[in-house]
PDB file of all heavy atoms in Angstrom:
ATOM      1  N   SER E 667      -9.370 -10.640  -8.112  1.00  0.00           N
ATOM      2  CA  SER E 667      -9.618  -9.507  -9.000  1.00  0.00           C
ATOM      3  C   SER E 667      -9.211  -9.924 -10.411  1.00  0.00           C
ATOM      4  O   SER E 667      -9.013 -11.098 -10.677  1.00  0.00           O
ATOM      5  CB  SER E 667      -8.846  -8.280  -8.536  1.00  0.00           C
ATOM      6  OG  SER E 667      -7.468  -8.526  -8.649  1.00  0.00           O
ATOM      7  N   TYR E 668      -9.092  -8.980 -11.285  1.00  0.00           N
ATOM      8  CA  TYR E 668      -8.724  -9.322 -12.651  1.00  0.00           C
ATOM      9  C   TYR E 668      -7.655  -8.362 -13.129  1.00  0.00           C
ATOM     10  O   TYR E 668      -7.479  -7.288 -12.567  1.00  0.00           O
ATOM     11  CB  TYR E 668      -9.937  -9.269 -13.566  1.00  0.00           C
ATOM     12  CG  TYR E 668     -10.593  -7.912 -13.651  1.00  0.00           C
ATOM     13  CD1 TYR E 668     -10.363  -7.072 -14.727  1.00  0.00           C
ATOM     14  CD2 TYR E 668     -11.435  -7.457 -12.644  1.00  0.00           C
ATOM     15  CE1 TYR E 668     -10.964  -5.830 -14.798  1.00  0.00           C
ATOM     16  CE2 TYR E 668     -12.041  -6.221 -12.707  1.00  0.00           C
ATOM     17  CZ  TYR E 668     -11.798  -5.402 -13.789  1.00  0.00           C
ATOM     18  OH  TYR E 668     -12.366  -4.172 -13.856  1.00  0.00           O
ATOM     19  N   TYR E 669      -6.889  -8.758 -14.143  1.00  0.00           N
ATOM     20  CA  TYR E 669      -5.899  -7.839 -14.684  1.00  0.00           C
ATOM     21  C   TYR E 669      -6.189  -7.608 -16.158  1.00  0.00           C
ATOM     22  O   TYR E 669      -6.874  -8.406 -16.804  1.00  0.00           O
ATOM     23  CB  TYR E 669      -4.479  -8.350 -14.461  1.00  0.00           C
ATOM     24  CG  TYR E 669      -4.126  -9.622 -15.196  1.00  0.00           C
ATOM     25  CD1 TYR E 669      -3.599  -9.578 -16.487  1.00  0.00           C
ATOM     26  CD2 TYR E 669      -4.296 -10.864 -14.607  1.00  0.00           C
ATOM     27  CE1 TYR E 669      -3.262 -10.741 -17.163  1.00  0.00           C
ATOM     28  CE2 TYR E 669      -3.971 -12.028 -15.270  1.00  0.00           C
ATOM     29  CZ  TYR E 669      -3.457 -11.961 -16.554  1.00  0.00           C
ATOM     30  OH  TYR E 669      -3.134 -13.105 -17.213  1.00  0.00           O
ATOM     31  N   LEU E 670      -5.659  -6.517 -16.652  1.00  0.00           N
ATOM     32  CA  LEU E 670      -5.880  -6.161 -18.053  1.00  0.00           C
ATOM     33  C   LEU E 670      -4.529  -6.070 -18.734  1.00  0.00           C
ATOM     34  O   LEU E 670      -3.595  -5.491 -18.198  1.00  0.00           O
ATOM     35  CB  LEU E 670      -6.558  -4.794 -18.148  1.00  0.00           C
ATOM     36  CG  LEU E 670      -7.940  -4.682 -17.508  1.00  0.00           C
ATOM     37  CD1 LEU E 670      -8.373  -3.234 -17.459  1.00  0.00           C
ATOM     38  CD2 LEU E 670      -8.936  -5.533 -18.268  1.00  0.00           C
ATOM     39  N   ILE E 671      -4.417  -6.674 -19.910  1.00  0.00           N
ATOM     40  CA  ILE E 671      -3.167  -6.536 -20.667  1.00  0.00           C
ATOM     41  C   ILE E 671      -3.492  -6.384 -22.142  1.00  0.00           C
ATOM     42  O   ILE E 671      -4.442  -6.997 -22.650  1.00  0.00           O
ATOM     43  CB  ILE E 671      -2.200  -7.714 -20.375  1.00  0.00           C
ATOM     44  CG1 ILE E 671      -0.851  -7.469 -21.035  1.00  0.00           C
ATOM     45  CG2 ILE E 671      -2.787  -9.050 -20.810  1.00  0.00           C
ATOM     46  CD1 ILE E 671       0.296  -8.222 -20.423  1.00  0.00           C
ATOM     47  N   ASN E 672      -2.719  -5.538 -22.760  1.00  0.00           N
ATOM     48  CA  ASN E 672      -2.787  -5.296 -24.194  1.00  0.00           C
ATOM     49  C   ASN E 672      -2.818  -6.642 -24.925  1.00  0.00           C
ATOM     50  O   ASN E 672      -1.929  -7.474 -24.732  1.00  0.00           O
ATOM     51  CB  ASN E 672      -1.509  -4.520 -24.548  1.00  0.00           C
ATOM     52  CG  ASN E 672      -1.421  -4.165 -25.999  1.00  0.00           C
ATOM     53  OD1 ASN E 672      -2.127  -4.732 -26.823  1.00  0.00           O
ATOM     54  ND2 ASN E 672      -0.558  -3.216 -26.297  1.00  0.00           N
ATOM     55  N   ASP E 673      -3.809  -6.878 -25.782  1.00  0.00           N
ATOM     56  CA  ASP E 673      -3.904  -8.223 -26.354  1.00  0.00           C
ATOM     57  C   ASP E 673      -2.882  -8.493 -27.458  1.00  0.00           C
ATOM     58  O   ASP E 673      -2.842  -9.582 -28.012  1.00  0.00           O
ATOM     59  CB  ASP E 673      -5.337  -8.552 -26.797  1.00  0.00           C
ATOM     60  CG  ASP E 673      -5.925  -7.480 -27.681  1.00  0.00           C
ATOM     61  OD1 ASP E 673      -5.117  -6.707 -28.225  1.00  0.00           O
ATOM     62  OD2 ASP E 673      -7.170  -7.417 -27.821  1.00  0.00           O
ATOM     63  N   GLU E 674      -2.032  -7.505 -27.742  1.00  0.00           N
ATOM     64  CA  GLU E 674      -0.954  -7.781 -28.693  1.00  0.00           C
ATOM     65  C   GLU E 674       0.263  -8.368 -27.988  1.00  0.00           C
ATOM     66  O   GLU E 674       1.276  -8.675 -28.598  1.00  0.00           O
ATOM     67  CB  GLU E 674      -0.548  -6.486 -29.405  1.00  0.00           C
ATOM     68  CG  GLU E 674      -1.575  -6.066 -30.431  1.00  0.00           C
ATOM     69  CD  GLU E 674      -1.329  -4.672 -30.938  1.00  0.00           C
ATOM     70  OE1 GLU E 674      -0.253  -4.104 -30.647  1.00  0.00           O
ATOM     71  OE2 GLU E 674      -2.222  -4.151 -31.624  1.00  0.00           O
ATOM     72  N   ILE E 675       0.168  -8.451 -26.673  1.00  0.00           N
ATOM     73  CA  ILE E 675       1.323  -8.933 -25.916  1.00  0.00           C
ATOM     74  C   ILE E 675       1.046 -10.344 -25.417  1.00  0.00           C
ATOM     75  O   ILE E 675      -0.030 -10.647 -24.902  1.00  0.00           O
ATOM     76  CB  ILE E 675       1.605  -7.987 -24.735  1.00  0.00           C
ATOM     77  CG1 ILE E 675       2.118  -6.651 -25.270  1.00  0.00           C
ATOM     78  CG2 ILE E 675       2.618  -8.599 -23.773  1.00  0.00           C
ATOM     79  CD1 ILE E 675       2.314  -5.598 -24.224  1.00  0.00           C
ATOM     80  N   GLN E 676       2.025 -11.200 -25.578  1.00  0.00           N
ATOM     81  CA  GLN E 676       1.881 -12.558 -25.058  1.00  0.00           C
ATOM     82  C   GLN E 676       3.050 -12.872 -24.140  1.00  0.00           C
ATOM     83  O   GLN E 676       4.074 -12.194 -24.158  1.00  0.00           O
ATOM     84  CB  GLN E 676       1.824 -13.562 -26.210  1.00  0.00           C
ATOM     85  CG  GLN E 676       3.088 -13.540 -27.058  1.00  0.00           C
ATOM     86  CD  GLN E 676       3.041 -14.557 -28.178  1.00  0.00           C
ATOM     87  OE1 GLN E 676       2.264 -15.488 -28.143  1.00  0.00           O
ATOM     88  NE2 GLN E 676       3.902 -14.367 -29.166  1.00  0.00           N
ATOM     89  N   GLY E 677       2.878 -13.923 -23.362  1.00  0.00           N
ATOM     90  CA  GLY E 677       3.973 -14.363 -22.500  1.00  0.00           C
ATOM     91  C   GLY E 677       3.960 -13.704 -21.137  1.00  0.00           C
ATOM     92  O   GLY E 677       4.898 -13.849 -20.368  1.00  0.00           O
TER      93      GLY E 677
END
Side-chain angles (χ1 to χ4, degrees):
Chain E
S667 65
Y668 61 101
Y669 65 89
L670 298 170
I671 187 158
N672 181 343
D673 51 19
E674 286 169 11
I675 291 175
Q676 61 179 341

